[in-house]
């Protein structure tokens, strides 16, 4: 059997037949909160860790430097979040889970990294030799930090498995975790530069970290997320995910070590231009290809429903292509009362419906069939709202 893309090779599942389109409006079930109680518990733990982290930063840096560092760190973070939103636009992840991923990166990952660093210092003593300090940056930091962030990717898969459908979702969750980690790390770097070198030093640090490399941690952890998302797309579940996770983690550690090594042992700006910039361009092109793959799968799965009478072929084109979505929104604005928000909801539900059908095809999610029925009912209701006189 051949597949149209190496990213879409599902294991055989049992999705069940698509029922014929009904003549009366379906009953819309009550939607559960994304992540359920697990997300609330993780959020509560992150709040407790945040209080401790804030106390640590203030005691180590002082109020003034910590606030200045936070304000400066917020600027590149906003740019990264805007870019992630563009990547996530095709099939938006629940905001609740995105905030959770950001919180894991900004709080839990940093606490883990600081805890390991403190433990190493207690056991081996502070690294006073310049070579030892450089090796800590090139070896210890990439391993510890990427494992801490990579655990967040596994956590997002565990509590948000109904929304973690493939490589794009993995990249989005990984990017949010990496963005959160970079935000807190930037607070430390900016505040320390302000304390030790004043405005001149913090300006240089901001250029290096806030302008030249705001996506470094995003790319590292996105590699882990991509590997997990690809495994999920191919039907991996349970312990079968750990192998791909470890592979993606190894790539993230290698990229991180290469980045830190260019600062410690080589000409940073020369390697930045000849290596890091091409890597970033490759990362962007890879994300664009993943988006195209996501659109193709959405179109394929919605055609399944069109064959059963739920949508027309024209509607599939409007729902599953970028140009079609823009035309659909423009048309909805001309309807009585401006129904563009209803159209956005319809597009979102149809996209989630296609993703649920894909999960059912892989057989990795026991709740995929229930999700499929829920999204189908909601999409049908929204369609009827759009088409009413």
């Amino acid at each position: 059997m051949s597949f149209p893309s190496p990213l879409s090779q599902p294991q055989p599942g049992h999705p069940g037949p698509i029922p014929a389109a009904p003549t009366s409006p379906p009953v819309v079930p009550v939607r559960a909160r994304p992540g359920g109680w697990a997300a609330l518990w993780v959020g509560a733990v992150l709040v407790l860790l945040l209080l401790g982290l804030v106390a640590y930063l203030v005691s180590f840096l002082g109020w003034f430097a910590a606030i200045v560092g936070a304000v400066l760190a917020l600027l590149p973070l906003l740019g990264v979040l805007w870019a992630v939103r563009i990547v996530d636009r095709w099939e938006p992840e629940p905001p609740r889970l995105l905030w959770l991923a950001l919180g894991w990166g900004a709080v839990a990952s940093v606490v883990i990294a600081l805890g390991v660093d403190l433990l190493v210092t207690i056991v081996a003593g502070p690294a006073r030799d310049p070579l030892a300090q450089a090796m800590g940056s090139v070896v210890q930091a990439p391993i510890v930090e990427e494992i801490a962030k990579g655990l967040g990717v596994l956590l997002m898969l565990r509590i948000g498995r109904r929304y973690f459908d493939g490589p794009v979702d993995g990249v989005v969750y990984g990017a949010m975790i990496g963005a959160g980690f970079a935000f807190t790390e930037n607070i430390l770097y900016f505040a320390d530069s302000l304390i030790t070198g004043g405005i001149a030093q913090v300006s240089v640090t901001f250029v290096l970290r806030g302008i030249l490399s705001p996506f470094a941690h995003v790319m590292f952890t996105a590699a882990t997320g991509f590997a997990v998302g690809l495994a999920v797309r191919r039907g991996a579940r349970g312990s079968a995910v750990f192998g791909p996770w470890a592979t993606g983690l190894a790539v993230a550690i290698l990229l991180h070590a290469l980045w830190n090594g260019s600062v410690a042992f080589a000409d940073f700006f020369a390697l930045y231009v000849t290596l890091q910039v091409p890597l970033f361009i490759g990362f962007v092109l890879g994300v664009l290809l993943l988006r195209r793959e996501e659109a193709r799968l959405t179109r394929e799965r919605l055609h399944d429903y069109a064959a059963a009478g739920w949508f027309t072929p024209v509607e599939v084109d409007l729902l599953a292509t970028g140009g079609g979505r823009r035309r659909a929104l423009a048309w909805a604005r001309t309807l009585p009362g401006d129904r563009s928000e209803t159209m956005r909801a319809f597009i979102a539900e149809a996209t989630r419906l296609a993703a649920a059908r894909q999960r059912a095809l892989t057989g990795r999610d026991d709740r995929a069939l229930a999700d499929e029925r829920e999204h189908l009912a909601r999409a049908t209701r929204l369609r009827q709202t759009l088409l009413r006189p």
Side-chain angles (χ1 to χ4, degrees):
M1 181 178 181
S2 61
F3 296 92
S5 165
L7 297 181
S8 59
Q9 300 179 12
Q11 303 297 321
H14 303 282
I18 296 176
T23 56
S24 59
V27 177
V28 179
V30 177
R31 174 173 293 171
R33 290 184 176 181
W37 285 102
L40 290 177
W41 281 109
V42 172
V45 172
L46 289 178
V47 169
L48 293 176
L49 291 176
L50 176 62
L51 295 176
L53 184 60
V54 170
Y56 168 81
L57 292 176
V58 170
S59 63
F60 179 67
L61 302 170
W63 278 106
F64 179 74
I67 292 174
V68 171
V71 172
L72 291 176
L74 187 62
L75 299 178
L77 175 65
L78 292 176
V80 170
L81 294 181
W82 174 76
V84 173
R85 184 176 181 274
I86 293 176
V87 175
D88 192 39
R89 187 176 293 171
W90 186 262
E91 185 207 348
E93 302 305 305
R96 190 186 200 196
L97 297 183
L98 292 177
W99 282 111
L100 203 63
L102 185 71
W104 179 272
V107 180
S109 297
V110 174
V111 169
I112 292 172
L114 289 174
V116 172
D117 187 60
L118 178 61
L119 182 62
V120 170
T121 301
I122 293 174
V123 173
R128 295 185 175 88
D129 181 70
L131 180 60
Q133 293 176 352
M135 291 303 294
S137 171
V138 176
V139 178
Q140 177 186 318
I143 293 175
V144 174
E145 293 174 9
E146 294 310 321
I147 289 177
K149 292 184 290 177
L151 291 174
V153 174
L154 288 180
L155 177 68
M156 298 313 300
L157 176 62
R158 177 66 185 86
I159 66 177
R161 60 187 179 277
R162 297 170 64 190
Y163 306 92
F164 204 131
D165 297 309
V168 172
D169 295 342
V171 167
V172 167
Y173 286 123
M176 290 296 288
I177 293 169
F181 187 92
F183 170 70
T184 304
E185 189 178 58
N186 280 340
I187 294 176
L188 287 165
Y189 275 96
F190 294 156
D192 183 64
S193 296
L194 181 64
I195 293 171
T196 58
I199 295 178
Q201 184 62 37
V202 77
S203 299
V204 172
T205 305
F206 181 80
V207 170
L208 291 174
R209 297 185 62 87
I211 297 178
L212 294 182
S213 58
F215 292 94
H217 277 287
V218 169
M219 286 194 300
F220 304 154
T221 318
T224 305
F226 168 79
V228 172
L230 184 57
V232 166
R233 169 63 51 80
R234 292 176 173 175
R237 57 189 299 176
S239 60
V241 174
F242 284 104
W245 175 78
T247 301
L249 185 64
V251 173
I253 291 172
L254 178 62
L255 291 174
H256 197 157
L258 188 63
W259 178 269
N260 287 4
S262 68
V263 177
F265 298 117
D267 186 333
F268 170 76
F269 289 102
L271 280 180
Y272 179 83
V273 174
T274 60
L275 182 61
Q276 304 298 349
V277 170
L279 279 175
F280 178 70
I281 294 174
F283 172 74
V284 172
L285 292 176
V287 169
L288 292 177
L289 290 175
L290 290 175
R291 281 281 303 270
R292 289 186 61 183
E293 173 70 7
E294 205 79 3
R296 187 194 63 77
L297 283 175
T298 301
R299 188 183 181 91
E300 260 189 25
R301 298 288 76 82
L302 290 183
H303 270 306
D304 296 343
Y305 291 98
W310 290 89
F311 306 112
T312 68
V314 173
E315 285 173 332
V316 172
D317 289 337
L318 292 176
L319 294 168
T321 63
R325 290 181 172 188
R326 288 189 290 273
R327 292 194 302 273
L329 288 170
W331 171 73
R333 293 189 189 97
T334 67
L335 297 176
D338 184 358
R339 301 176 190 174
S340 57
E341 289 304 315
T342 304
M343 177 61 78
R344 286 191 177 90
F346 178 43
I347 292 171
E349 286 297 341
T351 308
R352 295 185 186 114
L353 170 64
R357 182 71 180 174
Q358 183 68 24
R359 292 203 311 276
L361 285 170
T362 63
R364 73 171 181 86
D365 185 359
D366 296 332
R367 296 200 57 179
L369 291 177
D371 289 347
E372 189 178 4
R373 289 190 293 269
E374 176 184 331
H375 294 310
L376 190 56
R378 292 183 184 279
T380 303
R381 282 280 189 177
L382 289 166
R383 182 176 182 269
Q384 291 167 344
T385 301
L386 281 169
L387 298 178
R388 76 171 185 263

